[in-house]
Amino acid sequence: MSSSDYEGRAIYIALGGRQTGPYSPTELKARIRGGELPDTVFAWCSGMSQWSPLREVLAELPPVPPPPPPPPPEADKEFFADITGLDRLEGFSLRRFFGGIFAHHTAEEVADFFCMGGTESKLPLSRVQTEWPSPWIFTRLILLALVLYAGFHWCGDIFRNLKLVPGCLFVGNFGIPFCIMVLFMELNVYRHVAFYDVLKAFMLGGLLAIFIALSLFVQMGFSAAPLAGIIEEPAKLAAAVLIGRRMMDGRALTGLLLGSAVGAGFAAFESAGYTFESIIALCLEVKNSGESSADPGGLMHMRAVLSPFCHVVWTAITAGGLWLMMGRLKDEGKPCGVLHALREKRYLALFAVPVLLHTLWNCDWVQSFGLISFVLLGLAAWATVLRLVQAGLRQAAKEKKDAGY
């Protein structure tokens, strides 16, 4: 007989000619030790043919074995997963992620994608996929942006027409961040955020984040580049919260999308400002000295190439993590407001990731390593984003399971 059988045995005793019970062996032994019950009373349990003294019944049952030792520590325990609550990636591969991007898709599928989030077009939970999506719309848009960018440059070199410059500036500064935002739209398997709300987060959220960041810089009285992450990441998160205050659903994918949109708008407006500043410097230096070291085109090229690795993903991490933490607090039966989530150690550890990456990005000694240092920092950010996407997909799977799908 196992210990579980022992603990589960129901014993009845006879007191004053009446049958009482059932009792567990542990309970009866405690009463005997406490003097509440003599061990001479008659008792019976299943499997016995007749009543016997309680001490005999208890003696026939095996003793309770000692509890098992504590389990060994997990061999694959990871520090990052432990402090942030984000599990390491499982089942993800770039080949499968981008494997279906060149599959045939109809014009109606494209139209349906950009009409998502409406009353008639909202995707029912039963049709929400929980596997990694393949970002085919993002791929087509990024290729189109590259063609447009190259086309404006080619036309500018041939025709020497200044009217082509604004088009090149628009595609260079806005095109790539916008495409990365669309990637997060595809990763949002719920398809429940309207394209209008995404555009509002991109435009209004980007401007609001810049306004908050500049206000904080003025209030704190410093503008050192390495300290920008301490100011700009909270500013962008605040903008995402204000823009998405009606979409606080506790889903990581919602936060990732809104955060990426705010970050994309911030990156686009900031890049446009840097490019414009470089153009003005070029004009003034040429006017004053006949030559200039300013290179607006090179600056724009660099910021366009690096935009997928900085502001868009940084804000996606802070907002996606916040939404995820609110959802987890709700599942744990705890208060799940924004302020409650912001106080969680797991979220603070995750929030520190983009702040640290942003700080390193702006450090002179990191920049001295050239493009490779930015790519490595960007890959670290994307590794965190993919963990958040995985958490969001698992949330979707749980929702479907709870709903019976």
Side-chain angles (χ1 to χ4, degrees):
M1 184 181 298
S2 67
S3 62
S4 60
D5 293 333
Y6 170 79
E7 290 298 327
R9 294 294 288 271
I11 301 177
Y12 296 87
I13 60 175
L15 288 175
R18 292 172 44 189
Q19 173 183 312
T20 62
Y23 303 98
S24 69
T26 303
E27 180 182 2
L28 291 174
K29 284 188 175 184
R31 293 182 64 181
I32 292 172
R33 285 194 300 269
E36 302 176 20
L37 184 70
D39 61 0
T40 56
V41 298
F42 281 86
W44 178 91
C45 68
S46 60
M48 295 177 56
S49 59
Q50 59 184 5
W51 291 74
S52 301
L54 179 58
R55 61 175 176 272
E56 296 179 9
V57 174
L58 294 176
E60 291 179 359
L61 295 177
V64 179
E74 298 180 17
D76 59 348
K77 190 174 183 180
E78 184 192 36
F79 175 73
F80 184 79
D82 188 43
I83 64 171
T84 64
L86 292 180
D87 297 332
R88 64 177 63 197
L89 284 178
E90 298 176 358
F92 173 82
S93 71
L94 289 174
R95 176 177 295 182
R96 281 192 294 177
F97 188 63
F98 291 106
I101 59 176
F102 294 113
H104 175 71
H105 294 277
T106 65
E108 288 75 15
E109 289 180 280
V110 178
D112 289 342
F113 176 81
F114 286 101
C115 291
M116 65 185 185
T119 304
E120 301 296 330
S121 59
K122 188 175 295 183
L123 197 65
L125 184 60
S126 60
R127 291 178 53 198
V128 171
Q129 71 175 87
T130 57
E131 302 296 328
W132 288 91
S134 186
W136 58 275
I137 292 181
F138 157 75
T139 307
R140 285 157 174 75
L141 282 179
I142 198 75
L143 291 175
L144 177 60
L146 293 175
V147 169
L148 287 173
Y149 192 62
F152 275 111
H153 265 286
W154 181 69
C155 291
D157 290 339
I158 291 178
F159 299 107
R160 299 295 178 180
N161 192 327
L162 289 177
K163 295 183 178 66
L164 296 171
V165 174
C168 188
L169 295 177
F170 179 81
V171 177
N173 292 317
F174 285 80
I176 306 300
F178 183 87
C179 291
I180 302 302
M181 179 189 73
V182 172
L183 170 60
F184 281 93
M185 290 174 61
E186 290 191 85
L187 293 176
N188 176 30
V189 295
Y190 293 100
R191 300 284 185 267
H192 66 304
V193 181
F195 188 47
Y196 168 77
D197 292 321
V198 178
L199 290 178
K200 183 170 69 173
F202 177 80
M203 294 184 290
L204 182 58
L207 175 60
L208 183 59
I210 289 177
F211 173 79
I212 296 174
L214 292 177
S215 299
L216 291 175
F217 276 122
V218 171
Q219 290 295 323
M220 295 189 175
F222 64 85
S223 59
L227 300 177
I230 302 175
I231 297 296
E232 293 181 358
E233 296 313 314
K236 290 182 292 177
L237 176 62
V241 169
L242 291 173
I243 293 295
R245 62 189 183 279
R246 297 180 180 177
M247 290 175 275
M248 297 288 189
D249 55 8
R251 293 168 170 170
L253 297 178
T254 304
L256 283 168
L257 175 53
L258 294 174
S260 68
V262 171
F266 187 96
F269 294 139
E270 185 183 58
S271 294
Y274 277 111
T275 304
F276 178 75
E277 186 178 53
S278 182
I279 292 174
I280 297 298
L282 173 66
C283 295
L284 292 176
E285 290 176 8
V286 169
K287 179 180 179 181
N288 294 331
S289 62
E291 58 183 15
S292 173
S293 60
D295 183 12
L299 175 65
M300 184 170 59
H301 296 333
M302 182 191 70
R303 293 190 68 87
V305 169
L306 295 179
S307 60
F309 301 106
C310 50
H311 285 296
V312 186
V313 286
W314 293 338
T315 317
I317 292 171
T318 59
L322 180 64
W323 263 250
L324 175 64
M325 186 53 59
M326 288 190 290
R328 287 181 170 175
L329 290 176
K330 182 179 179 181
D331 292 340
E332 295 168 2
K334 300 177 181 178
C336 55
V338 173
L339 295 179
H340 298 97
L342 288 174
R343 290 196 294 264
E344 282 289 316
K345 292 181 180 179
R346 289 170 291 176
Y347 176 70
L348 293 175
L350 182 60
F351 181 82
V353 172
V355 173
L356 176 61
L357 292 175
H358 195 160
T359 301
L360 292 174
W361 188 281
N362 289 344
C363 286
D364 292 337
W365 66 270
V366 173
Q367 296 177 7
S368 65
F369 290 97
L371 184 63
I372 185 63
S373 61
F374 297 123
V375 173
L376 291 176
L377 291 174
L379 291 177
W382 274 105
T384 306
V385 164
L386 291 176
R387 292 187 184 217
L388 280 166
V389 174
Q390 176 177 260
L393 293 174
R394 289 177 176 176
Q395 282 185 311
K398 182 178 181 299
E399 285 187 49
K400 293 185 67 174
K401 181 180 179 181
D402 292 343
Y405 296 116

